[in-house]
């Protein structure tokens, strides 16, 4: 999974990265993210990502646009999430460019539909639903057995916000999450 987001969405990006551990599968995850200032983005990871989550808040910052363009050129799926805040002209222009590029190419894997989110709790739920549904729709590709699929379906049906849950933490590094079954 690749997570593209500007530095002001560091908390949201971290919540997504940590939330994948909640998904009840034996899969391992490699999570790459937009790097901090002064570091180059891992564009090879963008081009390989099975799921690319792009978060847009108030403004767009480099290299998020380059990461989106790389995924688009590679034909990789991109899931777009839009924070419910006023956008700058640059962010609005980026949204229009995504719509223009996607309409011109008519690539079904790359959507122009932005999923809005108000806070990190709502974002976490929406991303977990997208990831769970992605895993179920690609269960054969990921070698997810029927019992594990049933468990995943049950988990998706029960997915909700945990009252009082504190989702704050910050880590700019990506990570690899290995399950004991798959390791």
């Amino acid at each position: 999974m690749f997570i593209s987001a500007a530095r002001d969405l560091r908390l949201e990006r971290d919540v997504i990265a940590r939330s994948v551990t909640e998904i009840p599968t034996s899969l391992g995850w490699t999570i790459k993210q937009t790097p901090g200032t002064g570091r180059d983005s891992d564009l090879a990871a963008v081009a390989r990502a099975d799921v690319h989550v792009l978060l847009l808040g108030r403004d767009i910052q480099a290299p998020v646009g380059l990461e989106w363009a790389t995924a688009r050129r590679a034909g990789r799926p991109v899931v777009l999430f839009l924070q419910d805040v006023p956008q700058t002209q640059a962010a609005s222009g980026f949204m229009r460019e995504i719509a223009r590029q996607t309409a011109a190419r008519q690539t079904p894997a790359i959507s122009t539909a932005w999923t809005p989110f108000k806070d990190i709790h709502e974002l976490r739920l929406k991303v977990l639903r997208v990831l769970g549904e992605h895993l179920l729709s690609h269960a054969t590709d990921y070698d997810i057995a029927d019992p594990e699929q049933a468990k995943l379906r049950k988990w998706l049906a029960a997915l909700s916000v945990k009252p009082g849950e504190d989702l704050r933490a910050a880590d700019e590094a990506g990570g690899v999450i290995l399950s004991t079954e798959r390791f």
Side-chain angles (χ1 to χ4, degrees):
M1 176 169 71
F2 198 94
I3 305 169
S4 291
R7 287 178 294 283
D8 63 325
L9 295 172
R10 186 178 348 198
L11 174 60
E12 289 81 355
R13 186 175 62 184
D14 183 57
V15 165
I16 292 170
R18 288 185 294 117
S19 293
V20 300
T21 62
E22 299 175 44
I23 301 172
T25 69
S26 62
L27 294 174
W29 291 81
T30 299
I31 302 167
K32 298 285 186 168
Q33 304 176 22
T34 301
T37 306
R39 294 177 36 214
D40 292 333
S41 187
D42 187 347
L43 298 180
V46 171
R48 286 189 317 268
D50 291 317
V51 178
H52 184 158
V53 174
L54 189 149
L55 306 176
L56 183 62
R58 179 170 160 59
D59 201 4
I60 183 75
Q61 294 176 339
V64 172
L66 176 61
E67 292 166 353
W68 176 81
T70 300
R72 182 181 59 81
R73 281 191 303 274
R76 305 307 297 169
V78 179
V79 186
L80 306 168
F81 288 92
L82 180 64
Q83 188 177 32
D84 188 14
V85 295
Q87 275 73 44
T88 63
Q89 287 182 342
S92 295
F94 178 65
M95 292 171 67
R96 284 190 302 276
E97 181 63 14
I98 285 178
R100 187 184 71 73
Q101 291 277 336
T102 306
R105 195 162 170 201
Q106 296 188 345
T107 305
I110 301 176
S111 173
T112 59
W114 290 87
T115 301
F117 69 95
K118 291 182 178 104
D119 58 29
I120 57 175
H121 297 283
E122 184 178 16
L123 176 65
R124 176 187 150 270
L125 283 176
K126 289 181 175 186
V127 170
L128 285 174
R129 286 190 200 289
V130 165
L131 294 175
E133 290 166 5
H134 172 80
L135 292 174
L136 286 172
S137 67
H138 294 87
T140 304
D141 299 335
Y142 294 117
D143 197 24
I144 300 174
D146 290 340
E148 197 171 25
Q149 289 180 47
K151 186 177 178 182
L152 186 54
R153 281 188 191 87
K154 184 176 178 182
W155 173 80
L156 274 171
L159 192 60
S160 66
V161 175
K162 297 173 186 158
E165 185 174 22
D166 185 4
L167 300 176
R168 288 173 291 165
D171 181 11
E172 288 196 13
V176 177
I177 299 171
L178 301 172
S179 68
T180 53
E181 295 90 349
R182 298 277 175 137
F183 182 69

